[in-house]
């Protein structure tokens, strides 16, 4: 943020020092370290010393008037990484700046853009993409201020920066299209508004030199894979107008940023990741709420602890930010803190909540209050995680792990005035990931370990995006039938075949003289969502009024939208009266219900094709303490396979059969009903883990109890996966079988819940060893006796022997020699063998439901 | 390769869930916590898209109404088409070399005396430019004449717009100096032939003095512009007079809300105003498929599209003639125009007032009374006339008329919302006029009437504000002022 360098910044730095002499952060840290009640809760301290930045002169190529504008804004020289990035960008390279929040990334791409505008006398154009509308608007303000600075001293042509989003009035759009030198927008507007109407934007495309993509670490999964294709479309349209723009991107620190950017942009990029900005001393503390009931593994609530510690860390001489996971948590904590304002020496009005759903005016007011120091405490969802300019604060409290290292650092980056110390307090919840981090705080400070899933070539997403691309401009085949000549899709495998398919099977296109023309009465971008198939989502409406109550994805609709299901919104109960399965709508009636419903689903996973495999032999790592064998049975030989992991395509069929009515609080079963819904089918990719029958028997995984432990292991892997793979647990489906029809032995399947998959199975295969080790660690360290929600799950679910069973499995699987890659022995199953649910006989092996409750 | 391709097609079919009735699926954003955007975006694209869908649906309804379902018999007698419908199969298309390559199309020459509905084409020559200019609220049309008019109607592959929407047929009609009517239909025989087609269309549009279309300013013009821009052609619409018949005819037939003819679609209007009954017309919504079929080698429905487009252009001519008689209310032979004269008068007065030509509005047969008309229309007309009188200085006459609106409304049994509105507005106008003349008692009386009407009908925000302002003004003027220094 440019403002970080401005005169306001020095004002803020001044604010950081108190009249009493001691800096507030130092005082807080001393108190937290001194008092016994905090000492026993804070399990880890980590400090990074004050760092002096490395400066570099302005690049020689920079116009003097541009340097002057920066000087007026308090920038006397550049940080080394900024200078490197600017030089590379002006040199015509694609650049990714992967440095922490507040390291001055905005300068890295605004300077090259303005420099080129000056050099071309206003001919150059730049398109800025931000992940949210608010960010784009925020940045437009900053850019406009710089442009005005330029105009004042130059007296020459004025440049214009505009935000283009859903709120842009139609009357302004035309001016913006023809005269905007810099257009700031978001991926959705680019996808649905700009690209399909590119001829209206000809002026922008003709001069397009830079495409700025902010916060690229947020571009993963279905959304990221779709945006990668939108960028391909953008490059293609630009080429049509004779422009070959460069990418200038910024990212939080992520694992392998170069590889991620390359998949996203389809080309090699220059990565600038050495942070040369100065930083004050930083304190990090990991706070684990005390165990209330060691047997059950129950800890005090993180929210309650946040309230307690607030008395120490909030005050009138500094600013504190709390990050909560949910909107309701924000509201609750805000109320608590306002009630206790007096004890902290604050007025209730100095404490504010901030979350989605607030009106823009109120948000602007809170942001301004944070900048000018009048708001002392803010409690926010991740809405304040991205780069909205609120200046730098002093203390950050993360109530629960935000789910990814990138988010952790974004939130932590909200504190730290220049030259002043700052404190980040991470509060752990009773969940496997949080407890793992409480035990391994080094994870947070080591190099990023999460892998970002991105698969722009996912066939479903690719085919949808190719529809949009063909609508924009016809595709031309080369002599050899490929799309080799296409500037963006030329190297994409299968693109030509997908187009043929769209022409011959779907009828959207028509191929004439080796050219694919869009020929359909439709506007495809309108029906193609960037976030996946939300066209398939089920809307839950109030019967009669058709008021929308909520939305649920296709697979979950089986358990939440069947007739008779109780749907809960903010404490109000609704009963689903009818489910219009075909039109994806469920109609509900408000009822006074003293029970909720729980549907039972059977998930069948059929392996279609195995693509990768690693295994090890029993001889390489015998089971240390085999379970006692039945009387008279012979011990197993140490031959054959021990365990193996796989990646491949699977067909998942989920059927809901019955639902139970369960009384609130008492949890007694008060009835049941049948569900009559067609099965949900999903074709996707999966990660699979198997045990040989012998090893399974020795580990006790073949018995009925063993099956429960096997499933609990799967659940644990699913909830721990976000430590190593950028995803949410709910992005993964789980199915476990003690005797798989495909492998004939215990098998655990974690599948990508997106049709076609977006690469999560690849990442799981690569991360499986780390993942299993982390799972072992979580279970070993957990204080509970026989299982709890923070490890394998509560005793009522996993049984008395559950924790021991999972431990036994993990001890074996996460240790010993690594698995060796091998050829998948099984052949591809022919396409026509895909079975549908109706073929599932009564013996069709089914497993426990793999759906997470909503 | 072939095997692999077959395999890929199978996989795609499965993955895209085609044939299952559900669209391609997926779930939600993977890999990133949905970003809390403080009430803004990610979803805004979606809400925007649903708003867009809604708007498109409306547009679709409006435009598709140009045609009824194919073969559906419409109300009223089935009449034989009065214009030639047998234009020959599309093979009669002629090709010719134009500046940028081969063009295709067909041209028909009609006599000015040919009938379309119960109108002759040449009646368009009698259109009064003043009527056109008033009703379209566009003074540039005062220079329009049937001789320089180009009647334009396009057929496209969709209503959504965007670069993937093709314009594949453009019907352009004009009167030749000898009085014959030339109807040219340019046709795009394939996407590869677009350049010469567009150049030809642009050239012809560029020769027109006044463009005449139906909903063309909002639709046809934009679709054509998209294509022109894509091929780097300059806009031939720039600075050209353009009479879009949709809005003026809608005003003429009752304005907002359902008029006497239900909707304001081209086919409804041509039926009611010009007596044209279409038979076996291909609905406009079927045109895209007809063209796609033709491109795939099956031209069976293309003739229907040509015919549909042909009739649309002829309707433009007769509706142009109809609109051009709005002032006289009579056709050339003295027969009255079909449709309600009261509504027409109302529309003219309203349009004139909008153009701030109040004396013009009064000259528009403003003196005529419509004793038998529906009360709500009569009162609205008198309220408008009353305002015009006030604004042109005929204060006494205007105030009297406005008062009579109030009194007639008072005498009505169960007055409708529109009656109440006219009464309220009349009373407010009257109060303002009287207050302006310092006739404070009369103003207070009228102000009170308005208050009564407001209690019977809540009015709009503007009415309430006006009422409040007048109240304050009267309070200030009527109440004794406090003595200076008190
Ligand atoms: Zn535990």
């Amino acid at each position: 943020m440019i403002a970080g360098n401005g005169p306001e910044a020095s004002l803020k730095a001044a604010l950081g020092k108190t009249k009493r002499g001691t800096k507030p952060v130092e005082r807080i840290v001393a108190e937290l370290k001194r008092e016994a009640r905090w000492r026993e809760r804070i399990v880890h301290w980590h400090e990074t010393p004050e760092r002096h930045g490395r400066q570099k002169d302005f690049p020689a190529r920079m116009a003097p008037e541009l340097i002057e504008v920066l000087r007026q804004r308090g920038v006397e020289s550049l940080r080394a990484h900024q200078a490197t990035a600017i030089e590379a960008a002006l040199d015509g390279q694609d650049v990714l700046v992967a440095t922490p929040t507040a390291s001055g990334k905005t300068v890295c791409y605004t300077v090259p853009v303005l420099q080129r505008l000056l050099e071309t006398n206003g001919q150059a154009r730049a398109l800025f993409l931000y992940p949210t509308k608010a960010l784009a608007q925020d940045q437009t303000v900053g850019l406009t201020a710089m442009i005005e600075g330029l105009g004042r001293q130059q007296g020459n042509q004025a440049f214009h920066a505009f935000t283009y989003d859903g709120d842009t009035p139609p009357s302004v759009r035309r001016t913006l299209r023809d005269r905007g030198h810099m257009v700031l927008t978001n991926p959705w507007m680019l996808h649905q508004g700009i690209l399909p109407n590119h001829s209206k934007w000809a002026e922008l495309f003709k001069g397009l030199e830079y495409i700025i993509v902010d916060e690229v670490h947020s571009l993963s999964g279905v959304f990221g894979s779709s945006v990668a294709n939108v960028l391909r479309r953008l490059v293609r349209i630009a080429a049509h107008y004779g422009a070959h723009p460069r990418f200038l991107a910024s990212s939080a620190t992520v694992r392998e940023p170069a590889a991620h950017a390359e998949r996203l942009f389809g080309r090699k990029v220059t990565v600038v990741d050495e942070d040369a900005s100065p930083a004050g001393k930083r304190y990090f503390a990991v706070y684990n709420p005390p165990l209330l009931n060691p047997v059950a593994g129950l800890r005090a609530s993180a929210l309650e602890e946040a309230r307690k510690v607030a008395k120490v860390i909030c005050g009138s001489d500094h600013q504190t930010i709390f990050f909560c996971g949910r909107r309701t948590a924000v509201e609750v904590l805000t109320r608590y803190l306002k009630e206790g304002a007096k004890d902290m020496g604050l007025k209730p009005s100095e404490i504010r909540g901030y979350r989605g759903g607030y009106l823009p005016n109120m948000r602007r007011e809170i942001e301004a209050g944070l900048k000018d120091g009048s708001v002392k405490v803010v409690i926010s969802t991740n809405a304040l995680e991205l780069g909205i300019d609120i200046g730098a604060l002093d203390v950050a409290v993360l109530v629960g792990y935000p789910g990814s290292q990138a988010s952790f650092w974004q939130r932590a980056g909200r504190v730290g005035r220049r030259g002043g110390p700052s404190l980040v307090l991470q509060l752990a919840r009773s969940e496997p990931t949080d407890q793992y981090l409480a035990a391994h705080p080094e994870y947070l400070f080591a190099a990023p370990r999460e892998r970002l899933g991105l698969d722009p070539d996912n066939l479903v997403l690719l085919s949808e995006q190719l529809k949009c691309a063909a609508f924009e401009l016809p595709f031309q085949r080369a002599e050899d039938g490929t799309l080799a000549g296409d500037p963006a899709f030329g190297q994409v495998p299968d693109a030509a075949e997908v187009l043929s398919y769209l022409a011959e099977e779907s009828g959207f296109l028509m191929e004439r003289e080796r050219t694919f023309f869009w020929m359909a009465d439709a506007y495809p971008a309108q029906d193609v969502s960037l976030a996946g198939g939300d066209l398939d989502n089920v809307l839950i409406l109030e019967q009669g009024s058709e008021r929308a109550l909520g939305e649920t994805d296709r697979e979950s609709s089986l358990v939440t939208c069947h007739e008779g299901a109780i749907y809960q919104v903010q404490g109000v109960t609704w009963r689903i009266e009818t489910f219009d399965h075909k039109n994806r709508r469920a109609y509900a009636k408000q009822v006074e219900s003293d029970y909720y419903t729980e549907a039972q689903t059977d998930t069948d996973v059929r392996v279609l094709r195995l693509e990768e495999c690693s295994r090890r032999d029993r001889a390489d790592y015998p089971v240390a303490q085999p379970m006692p064998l039945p009387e008279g049975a012979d011990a197993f030989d140490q031959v054959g396979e021990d365990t193996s992991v796989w990646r491949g395509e699977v067909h998942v069929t989920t059927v809901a059969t019955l639902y139970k009515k369960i009384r609130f609080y008492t949890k007694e079963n008060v009835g049941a009903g049948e569900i009559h819904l067609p099965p949900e089918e999903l074709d996707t990719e999966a990660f699979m883990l198997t045990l040989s029958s012998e090893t399974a028997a020795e580990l006790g995984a073949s018995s009925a109890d063993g099956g429960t432990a096997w499933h609990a292991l799967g659940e644990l892997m699913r909830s721990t996966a976000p430590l190593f793979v950028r995803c949410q647990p709910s992005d993964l489906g789980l199915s476990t079988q003690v005797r798989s029809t495909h492998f004939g032995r215990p098998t655990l399947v974690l599948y990508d819940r997106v049709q076609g998959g977006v690469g999560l199975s690849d990442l799981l295969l690569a991360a499986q060893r780390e993942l299993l080790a982390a799972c072992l660690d979580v279970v070993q360290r957990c204080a509970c006796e026989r299982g709890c929600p923070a490890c394998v799950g509560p005793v009522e679910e996993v049984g008395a022997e559950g924790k021991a069973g999972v431990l036994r499995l993990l001890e074996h699987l996460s240790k010993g020699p690594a698995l060796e890659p091998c050829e998948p022995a099984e052949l591809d199953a022919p396409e026509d063998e895909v079975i549908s649910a109706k073929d599932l006989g009564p013996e069709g092996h089914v497993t426990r439901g793999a759906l997470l409750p909503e | 390769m072939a095997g692999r391709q077959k395999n890929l097609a199978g996989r795609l079919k499965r993955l895209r869930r085609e044939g299952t009735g559900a669209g391609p699926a997926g779930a939600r954003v993977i890999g990133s916590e949905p970003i809390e955007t403080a009430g803004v975006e990610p979803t805004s694209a979606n809400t925007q898209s649903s708003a867009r869908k809604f708007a498109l649906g409306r547009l679709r309804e409006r435009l598709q109404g140009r045609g009824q379902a194919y073969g559906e018999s419409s109300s009223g007698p089935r009449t034989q088409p009065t214009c030639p419908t047998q234009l020959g199969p599309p093979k009669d298309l002629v090709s010719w070399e134009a500046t940028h390559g081969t063009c295709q199309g067909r041209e028909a020459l009609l006599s000015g005396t040919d009938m379309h509905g119960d109108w002759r084409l040449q009646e368009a020559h009698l259109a009064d430019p003043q009527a056109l200019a008033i009703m379209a609220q566009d003074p540039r049309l005062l220079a329009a004449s049937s001789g320089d008019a180009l009647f334009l109607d396009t057929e496209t592959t969709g209503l959504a717009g965007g670069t993937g929407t093709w314009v594949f047929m453009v019907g352009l009609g004009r009167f030749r100096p000898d009085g014959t009517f030339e109807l040219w239909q340019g046709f795009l025989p394939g996407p590869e032939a677009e350049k010469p087609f567009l150049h030809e269309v642009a050239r012809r549009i560029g020769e027109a003095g006044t463009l005449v279309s139906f909903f063309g300013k909002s639709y046809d013009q934009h679709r054509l512009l998209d294509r022109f821009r894509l091929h780097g052609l300059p806009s031939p619409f720039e600075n050209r007079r353009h009479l879009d018949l949709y809005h003026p005819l809608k005003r003429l037939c009752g304005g907002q809300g359902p008029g006497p003819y239900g909707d304001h679609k081209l086919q409804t209007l041509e039926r009611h105003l010009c007596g044209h009954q279409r038979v076996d017309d291909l609905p406009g919504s079927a045109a895209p498929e007809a063209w796609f079929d033709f491109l795939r080698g099956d031209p069976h429905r293309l003739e229907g599209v040509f015919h549909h487009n042909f009739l649309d252009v002829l309707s433009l001519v007769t509706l142009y003639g109809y609109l051009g008689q709005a002032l006289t209310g009579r056709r050339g032979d003295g027969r009255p125009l079909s449709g309600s004269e009261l509504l027409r008068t109302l529309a003219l007065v309203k349009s004139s007032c909008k153009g701030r030509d109040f004396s013009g509005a009064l000259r528009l047969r403003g003196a005529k009374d419509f004793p038998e008309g529906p009360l709500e229309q009569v009162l609205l007309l008198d309220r408008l006339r009353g305002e015009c009188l006030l604004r042109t200085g005929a204060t006494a006459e205007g105030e009297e008329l406005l008062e009579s609106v109030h009194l007639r409304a008072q005498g009505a049994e169960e007055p409708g919302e529109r009656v109440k509105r006219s009464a309220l507005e009349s009373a407010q106008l009257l109060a303002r006029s009287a207050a302006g003349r310092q006739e404070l008692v009369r103003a207070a009386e009228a102000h009170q009437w308005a208050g009564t009407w407001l209690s019977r009908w809540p009015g709009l925000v503007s009415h309430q504000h006006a009422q409040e302002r007048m109240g304050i003004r009267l309070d200030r003027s009527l109440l004794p002022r406090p003595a200076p220094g008190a």
Side-chain angles (χ1 to χ4, degrees), chain A residues 296-297 778-779 782-793 803:
Chain A
V778 166
V779 183
C782 191
C784 71
E785 263 175 31
R786 292 166 185 274
C788 73
C791 62
V792 297
K803 187 170 178 183

Side-chain angles (χ1 to χ4, degrees), chain A residues 132-133 188-189 192 196-200 220-223 327 355-357 363 381-383 386 402 459-460 463-464 467 471-472 494 497-498 501 505-507 510 512 517-521 523 526-527 531 533-534 536 553-554 608 649 681-683 726-728 730-731 753-756 760 831, chain B residues 1 4-5 7-18 22-42 44-46 48-49 52-53 56 60 157-166 189-192 223 226 229-230 238 285 288 291-292 295-296:
Chain A
T132 68
K133 197 156 82 177
W188 298 272
M189 285 307 280
Q192 293 195 323
N197 291 294
H198 61 84
S199 68
K200 292 191 176 75
S220 66
V222 181
F223 179 62
R327 293 180 177 196
R355 60 166 176 84
R363 277 184 278 129
T381 53
N382 61 0
L386 296 171
L459 274 180
V460 182
S463 59
E464 291 295 292
K467 270 165 65 178
F471 179 90
E472 287 148 16
D494 300 333
E497 286 81 357
V498 173
Y501 175 87
E505 303 278 331
S506 311
M510 197 174 288
R512 290 164 76 93
F517 292 100
W518 175 259
M519 282 299 158
D521 179 2
Y523 185 89
Q526 185 193 313
D527 302 324
D534 58 11
D536 260 9
D553 69 62
R554 186 184 175 112
L608 297 180
E649 282 175 40
E681 319 240 345
L682 177 72
D683 283 288
R726 184 77 190 274
C727 69
Q728 304 260 308
S730 55
D731 297 337
R753 282 186 62 207
V754 171
Q755 178 83 345
L760 294 182
E831 293 283 337
Chain B
M1 179 76 187
R4 187 161 173 273
Q5 206 170 322
N7 191 16
L8 184 106
R11 244 187 108 197
L12 260 173
K13 182 169 254 165
R14 193 151 50 70
L15 287 173
R16 290 176 57 82
R17 291 180 172 150
E18 267 166 3
R28 56 264 92 110
V29 184
I30 288 271
S32 51
E33 214 177 321
I35 295 167
E36 263 271 322
T37 46
V40 256
E41 329 34 20
S44 96
N46 298 332
Q48 202 225 332
S49 129
R52 190 186 162 86
K53 266 184 190 165
L56 267 177
R60 205 175 286 274
T157 62
L159 302 178
T163 49
T165 302
W166 302 85
E192 61 286 337
R223 296 294 79 76
D226 281 344
R229 271 200 225 98
L230 209 53
E238 212 69 45
S285 58
W291 188 56
F292 298 149
L295 293 177
R296 293 188 176 102

Side-chain angles (χ1 to χ4, degrees), chain A residues 134 137 167 352-355 357-369 375, chain B residues 38-40:
Chain A
Q137 286 167 351
D167 298 342
R352 306 294 298 262
Y354 185 105
R355 60 166 176 84
Y358 283 0
L359 294 174
N361 284 349
M362 191 196 262
R363 277 184 278 129
R364 293 297 96 77
E365 181 209 320
I366 299 170
E367 289 158 18
V375 171
Chain B
V40 256

Side-chain angles (χ1 to χ4, degrees), chain A residues 472-530:
Chain A
E472 287 148 16
L473 276 182
F475 276 99
Q476 204 115 32
R477 276 193 205 263
E479 293 283 340
D480 61 358
T482 67
L483 297 179
D486 191 272
F489 290 90
Q491 304 307 316
V492 176
D494 300 333
E497 286 81 357
V498 173
L499 289 174
S500 292
Y501 175 87
L502 291 173
E504 289 156 21
E505 303 278 331
S506 311
F508 288 109
L509 310 182
M510 197 174 288
E511 186 174 2
R512 290 164 76 93
E513 300 170 10
R514 290 217 313 268
T515 306
F516 291 100
F517 292 100
W518 175 259
M519 282 299 158
D521 179 2
Y523 185 89
Q526 185 193 313
D527 302 324
V528 175
S529 148
L530 296 184

